[in-house]
Amino acid sequence: MMAKRAASVSFNLLRFMKPRNAAAPLARSFSTPAVVVGQSPSSSSVWNPMHFTRPEGTPEGFKLRAAPAVSSLPTADQSKSVEVFLETWEAGSAEPPHAHPGDDMTVVVEGHMRIQFFKPDGAEGKLVPDGIPVDLVAGQTGLIEANRIHDAKYITECKLVYVHNSAFGFEEKTV
């Protein structure tokens, strides 16, 4: 039987909402007890590469493990559900500017990623950066408001838990 021990782990919860006269996203830190079961995330079978696939049309360096889609549930149950994915990203891979129809939350299990927010500017609606890039590292969680335009760059190899508050959607935006 593996040894179990309790530890206090500090997590940063970063909430990326549209700023209301604020220059930077709100940030909040808290501690919570954690149970260590004697196994790192890297060695857990949850992250076994054989369970991950690269869906057609997704960026290079991306692989996914997911439960059945919310859209496969009866209509009455879809609004009560969330979609949860386990994602792996290769170092140096990236997602183009995009938005999701619902709020999303990304927990960084391992690695370092960078998010840049964008806003439309001028009559043509050309995308321009909205604030400075935000870095997330292992132990941090980012919450992004529905329809907020952002990209993501994976500085190192990343393992993420991604939660979307409704059926997942991805709409690429043009810079």
Side-chain angles (χ1 to χ4, degrees), residues 13-14 19 22 32 45 51 53 65 86 96 117 121 135 138 156 158:
L13 179 64
L14 302 175
T32 184
S45 63
H51 300 301
T53 59
R65 181 178 185 183
L86 300 180
F117 293 100
D121 186 48
D135 288 338
T156 64
C158 288

Side-chain angles (χ1 to χ4, degrees), residues 1-164:
M1 183 166 156
M2 291 186 201
K4 295 182 182 180
R5 65 182 172 88
S8 179
V9 178
S10 177
F11 293 94
N12 288 320
L13 179 64
L14 302 175
R15 187 170 177 89
F16 304 115
M17 306 301 273
K18 293 178 185 168
R20 292 186 188 122
N21 301 324
L26 303 172
R28 169 170 45 150
S29 294
F30 60 93
S31 292
T32 184
V35 176
V36 178
V37 190
Q39 187 175 26
S40 74
S42 291
S43 62
S44 169
S45 63
V46 168
W47 295 101
N48 185 326
M50 72 181 285
H51 300 301
F52 287 75
T53 59
R54 180 172 170 237
E56 188 175 329
T58 59
E60 288 290 331
F62 170 70
K63 291 193 177 171
L64 168 75
R65 181 178 185 183
V70 167
S71 58
S72 68
L73 298 172
T75 304
D77 294 335
Q78 289 181 17
S79 65
K80 302 175 196 169
S81 297
V82 296
E83 288 199 332
V84 178
F85 308 135
L86 300 180
E87 298 181 351
T88 61
W89 289 89
E90 293 175 4
S93 58
E95 296 178 73
H98 64 279
H100 306 285
D103 295 345
D104 70 65
M105 177 180 78
T106 300
V107 179
V108 181
V109 176
E110 286 184 3
H112 174 190
M113 67 181 289
R114 180 169 294 138
I115 299 167
Q116 175 65 62
F117 293 100
F118 296 91
K119 61 184 175 185
D121 186 48
E124 301 94 36
K126 180 179 178 177
L127 295 181
V128 297
D130 185 10
I132 61 172
V134 177
D135 288 338
L136 294 174
V137 296
Q140 292 184 316
T141 299
L143 301 172
I144 300 177
E145 183 178 44
N147 301 309
R148 182 101 194 261
I149 302 169
H150 62 284
D151 69 6
K153 293 179 175 63
Y154 302 92
I155 310 306
T156 64
E157 183 177 311
C158 288
K159 291 183 177 165
L160 311 172
V161 176
Y162 177 85
V163 182
H164 196 271

